[in-house]
Amino acid sequence: MNRYPLWKNLLVLAVLLMAGVYAMPNLFGDDPAVQVSAGRAATIDLALVNEAETALKEAGIEYKGVELEDGRLLIRLTSADSQLKAKEVLSQTLPADYIIALNLAATTPDWLAALGAEPMNLGLDLRGGVHFLMEVDMDAAVKQALEGYASDVRLTLRDEKIRYKQIKIDKQKLIVVFRNAESRDQAETLISRDYDALQVAVLDDETVSALQMQLTEVTLRETKTLALQQNITTLRNRINELGVAEPTVQQQGDSRIVVQLPGVQDTAQAKKILGATATLEFRLVDFEHDVQDALNGRVPANSELFYHRDGRPYLLNKRVMLTGEHVINAASTLDPQSGSPAVSVTLDGKGARAFSNVTRDNIGNPMAVVFIESKTETKEVDGELVKVRRQVPEIINVATIRDQLSKKFQITGLDSTTEARDLALLLRAGALAAPIEIVEERTVGPSLGQDNIDQGFASVMIGFAFVLVFMLVWYRVFGFVANLALASNLVFIVALLSMLQATLTLPGIAGIVLTVGMAVDANVLIFERIREELRIGNSPQSSINAGYGKAFSTIADANITTLIAAIVLFGFGTGSIKGFAVTLSLGIITSMFTAIMGTRAVINLIYGRQHKPKLSI
């Protein structure tokens, strides 16, 4: 009645052993390390290993070892101080194409690593680093989309020889003013036929013949979604260029992005690179019209007035020859002729073809490189502080096109090597689809992270100890068996977190503490049911069988409802809430196994072979 077959006992033992193996790497700790990754044009090889070791030895920095794995170089250091010194030395020694980041390297033995056993990841609140919550300017994303349609509509009207006065964007609406109602009606038919993404309406105004266009609901939703996804991709690229090990970039809600950078303490540099919305435009200089007339307010219809960074005004064509989105690689360098800072640019196939055609047709004409940066300012409007975004364009270089340019060329006219390096980074990572604003910022120091680990571990151990004492005193031998199951449950949770490579955070530790208390609920129900069966005169063996059998449905109902709540938390929560939901869910699942099947196996071994045992419960 109360005996498991051999295979079931072996199954319980095998699962426990496997959990122990995969939980074990978390006992060995980490080494402070420096990680060297290759940029686009760099390679990780033995020559780099020798160069790095030589630099560290010359600087007198002790290190434990150097490893080449997964296309990266990992240098293990003896302390956090030597880690920082090693990063500084390598940053000065190795070429700029290499990305150098601080990291923590697990000290897992080789035999465990061969089995795929790795320690779980620690979250930002336990490891230290920088947390940003960023909001995407969706209005700017919609405006950029409308600007693209405005350009297309302008070309369409010209091709069809439909005369118009003005095309402008006003409050997420594209307005085209025509010379007469006949031209307006022709344009309405043409645009309604060719542009499914636009809702076209006639402005009801007797004095003006105009069309009003705005994005359809479907297109508006797609535009915002694409802007958010492109910004996430761009931020990931920028973080990779910054050289941050194991970053987190994830969507939160419809317009926000969470960025966590473990190990980073320089928030100013991180904010500068992540929040930068700078991009480049290449435009032809309008040399046919007088700049002075433009300064007096008479700007030609197909031109715009820009200023060089030294203050000189220029008239540039509205049509953009090339934008930064076609750049596939960029590297800071020095101009061989002047020795000034420069950026070497490589274009993709589409950009190279377009740039080649335009420069071929304009040899001998001047071309300007426009650097456009989006800035956020806080102004007081009607007594309230309002954040206003504005674009600050400036010409960084004007040069005459001497030859037909194609896939590779140089940008000169930069102020410093730092500006050249930052511009190259932004071009490599790509432009943001819409400006972003940092709405929340937190910095967790490494020492505070260690304090959080210590306090979290202490909370788990204290809760664990109180539960152990209570169960042992109240249920005696059966309580001892429940305590074994509870200890096994903690091992299972840690093993699953490690196998899934989940990230443990402070709320995750709270989930484990809650699980410690909840894990014995099932055993309490079972043991009280056994006591009740004994009180009504049933035999010990029948009482054990009834206790486990009749309490199962109640235990299942209680745990399933809690699991549903945890799944909802994971589905709709973000960040730390997800961490709490993960550990709570895993704890519920493992506690069902240990509290029911695990304790039953031990109880069967103790009392199963006795005819009329005296139960210590």
Side-chain angles (χ1 to χ4, degrees):
M1 180 183 294
N2 291 311
R3 294 184 186 178
Y4 271 167
L6 179 61
W7 69 267
K8 193 172 284 190
N9 287 324
L10 292 177
L11 175 63
V12 173
L13 183 61
V15 172
L16 183 59
L17 288 175
M18 186 172 70
V21 168
Y22 282 93
M24 199 179 297
N26 296 280
L27 300 175
F28 294 96
D30 300 304
D31 283 333
V34 173
Q35 175 183 307
V36 182
S37 304
R40 293 176 184 266
T43 56
I44 302 290
D45 52 20
L46 291 177
L48 178 69
V49 174
N50 294 331
E51 186 176 358
E53 288 184 318
T54 301
L56 294 176
K57 289 176 181 176
E58 289 178 353
I61 299 174
E62 295 184 4
Y63 59 93
K64 291 184 177 180
V66 178
E67 301 171 9
L68 269 175
E69 57 178 23
D70 299 329
R72 65 175 186 172
L73 174 64
L74 194 69
I75 303 172
R76 296 175 181 267
L77 284 307
T78 56
S79 65
D81 290 338
S82 60
Q83 180 191 33
L84 295 174
K85 292 177 183 177
K87 185 187 182 217
E88 183 178 353
V89 168
L90 293 176
S91 298
Q92 296 173 354
T93 304
L94 300 182
D97 290 333
Y98 291 99
I99 302 165
I100 301 169
L102 300 178
N103 202 349
L104 292 175
T107 56
T108 307
D110 293 340
W111 67 273
L112 279 176
L115 295 173
E118 298 178 3
M120 59 184 156
N121 298 319
L122 297 180
L124 196 73
D125 46 6
L126 300 180
R127 185 174 174 182
V130 182
H131 167 98
F132 294 119
L133 179 61
M134 300 179 168
E135 185 160 20
V136 180
D137 186 350
M138 290 303 178
D139 291 338
V142 174
K143 183 179 179 182
Q144 289 178 10
L146 286 174
E147 287 174 348
Y149 283 112
S151 179
D152 292 342
V153 168
R154 184 181 291 111
L155 291 175
T156 300
L157 295 178
R158 286 179 183 173
D159 291 341
E160 297 296 328
K161 295 182 172 55
I162 298 175
R163 304 183 70 183
Y164 64 92
K165 288 183 179 179
Q166 183 186 21
I167 295 181
K168 63 180 181 179
I169 297 173
D170 182 27
K171 296 179 180 178
Q172 297 193 357
K173 295 178 181 178
L174 177 61
I175 299 174
V176 185
V177 182
F178 296 90
R179 297 181 180 277
N180 51 58
E182 181 181 356
S183 298
R184 180 199 63 196
D185 294 340
Q186 291 177 355
E188 181 188 8
T189 303
L190 181 66
I191 295 171
S192 298
R193 183 193 68 195
D194 294 345
Y195 295 91
D196 296 335
L198 296 175
Q199 290 179 336
V200 185
V202 177
L203 279 181
D204 190 12
D205 191 334
E206 295 180 357
T207 61
V208 178
S209 297
L211 290 178
Q212 175 182 285
M213 288 160 276
Q214 58 187 16
L215 299 178
T216 64
E217 287 297 324
V218 174
T219 306
L220 189 64
R221 191 162 52 249
E222 289 178 350
T223 299
K224 293 181 178 180
T225 301
L226 288 173
L228 186 64
Q229 294 301 321
Q230 183 177 331
N231 275 9
I232 289 175
T233 301
T234 300
L235 288 174
R236 284 199 179 107
N237 291 337
R238 291 185 179 183
I239 290 168
N240 290 338
E241 295 289 344
L242 275 174
V244 178
E246 300 173 8
T248 298
V249 183
Q250 61 187 17
Q251 178 179 339
Q252 178 171 308
D254 295 330
S255 61
R256 291 187 170 186
I257 302 171
V258 174
V259 177
Q260 295 183 340
L261 308 178
V264 173
Q265 301 298 321
D266 187 355
T267 58
Q269 175 67 6
K271 287 167 64 175
K272 179 181 177 182
I273 296 301
L274 294 180
T277 55
T279 186
L280 287 182
E281 291 182 352
F282 298 84
R283 301 188 184 211
L284 289 172
V285 177
D286 181 2
F287 56 87
E288 296 179 355
H289 297 90
D290 188 3
V291 176
Q292 192 59 45
D293 289 341
L295 291 173
N296 293 331
R298 297 187 296 274
V299 180
N302 295 325
S303 299
E304 290 183 78
L305 185 63
F306 288 87
Y307 288 88
H308 197 280
R309 57 177 38 179
D310 61 9
R312 288 177 294 166
Y314 282 90
L315 267 178
L316 304 183
N317 287 354
K318 280 187 176 179
R319 185 177 180 184
V320 179
M321 301 167 59
L322 184 75
T323 61
E325 65 181 7
H326 295 292
V327 174
I328 60 174
N329 194 18
S332 58
T333 182
L334 295 175
D335 183 11
Q337 296 182 353
S338 63
S340 60
V343 174
S344 176
V345 177
T346 304
L347 302 177
D348 61 13
K350 182 178 179 181
R353 286 192 298 272
F355 202 49
S356 176
N357 293 335
V358 175
T359 54
R360 178 195 61 202
D361 298 336
N362 289 277
I363 292 177
N365 295 333
M367 177 186 71
V369 181
V370 184
F371 180 78
I372 303 174
E373 186 176 8
S374 180
K375 294 185 177 180
T376 301
E377 297 178 347
T378 302
K379 295 183 178 180
E380 187 172 344
V381 180
D382 298 330
E384 295 183 358
L385 294 178
V386 179
K387 291 186 177 180
V388 179
R389 289 190 178 91
R390 64 186 182 93
Q391 287 192 332
V392 183
E394 63 175 359
I395 299 172
I396 61 174
N397 176 266
V398 176
T400 302
I401 301 173
R402 301 296 183 188
D403 298 299
Q404 181 178 356
L405 302 176
S406 183
K407 193 175 182 66
K408 293 184 178 182
F409 60 94
Q410 259 190 5
I411 300 172
T412 57
L414 302 172
D415 285 342
S416 65
T417 55
T418 300
E419 184 183 20
R421 186 172 59 251
D422 289 348
L423 178 58
L425 187 155
L426 292 175
L427 288 174
R428 286 196 302 271
L432 293 169
I436 57 175
E437 177 187 353
I438 298 174
V439 296
E440 181 185 340
E441 173 188 340
R442 295 200 307 267
T443 302
V444 181
S447 58
L448 180 58
Q450 186 59 48
D451 289 343
N452 289 338
I453 294 175
D454 296 340
Q455 292 173 7
F457 182 77
S459 65
V460 173
M461 289 300 101
I462 292 172
F464 184 65
F466 276 116
V467 173
L468 290 183
V469 172
F470 172 80
M471 293 298 292
L472 192 59
V473 171
W474 197 251
Y475 294 108
R476 290 174 284 189
V477 172
F478 278 74
F480 176 76
V481 174
N483 289 340
L484 291 178
L486 185 58
S488 301
N489 190 47
L490 284 177
V491 175
F492 280 130
I493 294 174
V494 173
L496 285 174
L497 289 172
S498 301
M499 292 172 69
L500 296 173
Q501 282 298 282
T503 299
L504 182 66
T505 61
L506 266 180
I509 293 178
I512 294 176
V513 175
L514 180 60
T515 302
V516 168
M518 293 176 57
V520 294
D521 284 355
N523 289 126
V524 169
L525 288 172
I526 293 169
F527 297 163
E528 289 299 328
R529 184 71 190 194
I530 293 173
R531 282 179 169 178
E532 184 179 340
E533 293 291 327
L534 290 172
R535 279 195 295 268
I536 62 176
N538 287 335
S539 68
Q541 296 292 0
S542 297
S543 299
I544 292 173
N545 190 59
Y548 278 95
K550 293 180 180 180
F552 178 78
S553 60
T554 305
I555 296 168
D557 291 344
N559 281 278
I560 288 172
T561 52
T562 308
L563 184 61
I564 290 172
I567 292 172
V568 171
L569 277 177
F570 183 82
F572 293 95
T574 56
S576 57
I577 297 177
K578 282 183 180 288
F580 175 80
V582 167
T583 53
L584 181 59
S585 302
L586 293 178
I588 291 170
I589 295 169
T590 56
S591 66
M592 287 284 287
F593 177 81
T594 56
I596 298 175
M597 193 170 180
T599 58
R600 182 70 183 273
V602 178
I603 293 295
N604 287 350
L605 290 174
I606 297 174
Y607 296 110
R609 297 183 182 278
Q610 301 179 30
H611 181 60
K612 290 184 179 180
K614 186 177 180 181
L615 303 185
S616 178
I617 185 170

